[in-house]
Amino acid sequence: MTRLVAVVGPTASGKTALGVALASAFGGEVVSCDSTAVYRGLDIGTDKPTEAERRAIPHHLIDVAAPTEIYSAARYAADAAAAIHDIAARGRLPIVVGGTGFYFRALTRGLFAGPARDERIRRRLERVAERRGTASLHRWLTRVDSASGRRVLPGDRKRIVRALEVYLLTGRPLTDHFGETRSPLGAADVCAIGLRVSRALQLARVARRVDEQFARGVVAEVQRLIAAGVPPDAHAFSGLVYRQILDLLAGVRDEAATRALIVRENMRYAKRQMTWFRKEPGVTWLDAEAGGDAAAAIQCVGRWREEKR
């Protein structure tokens, strides 16, 4: 059975530093779980680990895709599983670190590939949403798949449409299909640690980070990528910071408004991350602002390792 540690939680909670601390304490290597850090050249806006951190502790699944590629959750799960098995085979401890919940779930629980998109059904569902509102689709979903109705937010049209599409194509609720998924890790024992942080401290950290990103030249980074041939509609640019910088360069808003928007969007994203990770089973939550999260995490992992001997 493959054993690994995971450090998850919202943005600006200190996951990167904790992952490095755990790797140092237990002879581990970090496997990034970040949907934007996979892209080469997107460095400042993703807050990738520093070169010094990456020299001291091996990091995997960073800079593995060209910014013109579309890197999917399925590809991540396969790549991360391969890296984890390699790390474990060398007698090292794999430590998955990041805040992309969908990637984490794809790795640890697998993905439901499902039927291909059906444009006819999607157009029908979109027409219903336009005429009666997304809430009406959510009520329909709740009637045919109560578990998905509870899991998917009433305003999340994209996921509501997909869940209903699967139901209409297969005659079975999406939740039933989820029960048949398998993790690419195979048999795995995961010690998952979640970091939570107060909104006030998180806001201060996010605002400071945005200021640092601009000071380090995130705007110039985007300009260099575009000059190198990366189109503005590239999937790599769809993440936070980058899509706001593109609007800045297009004259949609000025720098001050762009900075403020990035902070707000980060805080909204952090809320969604916590909603996602709270649903993950078996996570031990630590308070990042307590100052002792590293020591507490090391103790937690130490106990887990002792129990497995």
Side-chain angles (χ1 to χ4, degrees):
M1 178 178 290
T2 303
R3 295 191 174 97
L4 64 138
V5 172
V7 179
V8 300
T11 188
S13 58
K15 297 184 296 296
T16 299
L18 180 56
V20 168
L22 290 173
S24 299
F26 296 104
E29 299 183 14
V30 171
V31 179
S32 173
C33 186
D34 186 302
S35 61
T36 312
V38 297
Y39 292 109
R40 292 186 290 273
L42 280 72
D43 302 322
I44 298 172
T46 58
D47 284 302
K48 290 176 182 173
T50 65
E51 289 297 327
E53 288 173 329
R54 293 162 70 176
R55 283 194 300 269
I57 301 294
H59 282 66
H60 304 263
L61 277 294
I62 293 176
D63 295 340
V64 295
T68 51
E69 292 183 70
I70 295 178
Y71 194 92
S72 67
R75 179 176 167 186
Y76 171 80
D79 290 350
I84 288 166
H85 288 142
D86 175 66
I87 294 165
R90 291 186 279 105
R92 307 278 287 173
L93 178 64
I95 302 173
V96 176
V97 179
T100 303
F102 188 47
Y103 277 24
F104 182 70
R105 185 169 295 176
L107 172 65
T108 57
R109 292 199 246 169
L111 284 175
F112 162 58
R117 291 168 58 105
D118 186 300
E119 296 301 333
R120 182 181 60 82
I121 289 178
R122 290 200 170 208
R123 286 194 297 271
R124 171 190 167 194
L125 294 172
E126 290 290 349
R127 286 197 298 270
V128 172
E130 291 299 326
R131 290 198 310 268
R132 304 178 185 174
T134 303
S136 66
L137 287 183
H138 189 264
R139 289 192 294 271
W140 182 7
L141 175 62
T142 301
R143 287 196 300 272
V144 299
D145 183 358
S146 59
S148 290
R150 291 191 299 271
R151 186 183 67 254
V152 180
L153 295 175
D156 192 343
R157 184 185 294 190
K158 178 180 177 181
R159 288 186 171 83
I160 294 170
V161 166
R162 177 55 177 165
L164 286 170
E165 177 185 43
V166 170
Y167 173 75
L168 292 171
L169 286 171
T170 68
R172 297 170 60 202
L174 181 61
T175 308
D176 288 357
H177 295 285
F178 282 161
E180 299 170 357
T181 60
R182 296 291 180 270
S183 165
L185 285 171
D189 185 358
V190 182
C191 176
I193 295 169
L195 289 180
R196 57 192 171 203
V197 60
S198 70
R199 295 289 285 179
L201 179 58
Q202 188 174 54
L203 177 59
R205 287 180 177 180
V206 167
R208 183 170 62 249
R209 185 173 67 189
V210 171
D211 286 342
E212 291 170 352
Q213 288 170 337
F214 273 81
R216 291 168 58 200
V218 69
V219 176
E221 178 176 83
V222 174
Q223 290 172 321
R224 285 194 301 272
L225 289 164
I226 292 174
V230 181
D233 61 352
H235 190 262
F237 282 151
S238 64
L240 278 174
V241 180
Y242 290 99
R243 62 177 181 264
Q244 288 83 22
I245 297 297
L246 288 171
D247 283 349
L248 169 64
L249 293 174
V252 175
R253 60 186 67 85
D254 62 19
E255 182 176 313
T258 299
R259 291 186 185 219
L261 178 61
I262 293 172
V263 171
R264 290 197 303 274
E265 290 298 319
N266 266 283
M267 295 302 290
R268 292 191 185 104
Y269 178 52
K271 188 174 181 179
R272 294 196 300 272
Q273 286 175 299
M274 283 302 295
T275 299
W276 184 285
F277 283 118
R278 283 195 186 104
K279 297 175 183 177
E280 288 297 319
V283 178
T284 298
W285 288 96
L286 302 176
D287 292 318
E289 63 260 45
D293 52 291
I298 289 171
Q299 289 180 352
C300 180
V301 173
R303 288 194 300 269
W304 171 74
R305 284 165 63 88
E306 285 295 323
E307 291 170 358
K308 304 305 175 182
R309 287 184 178 177

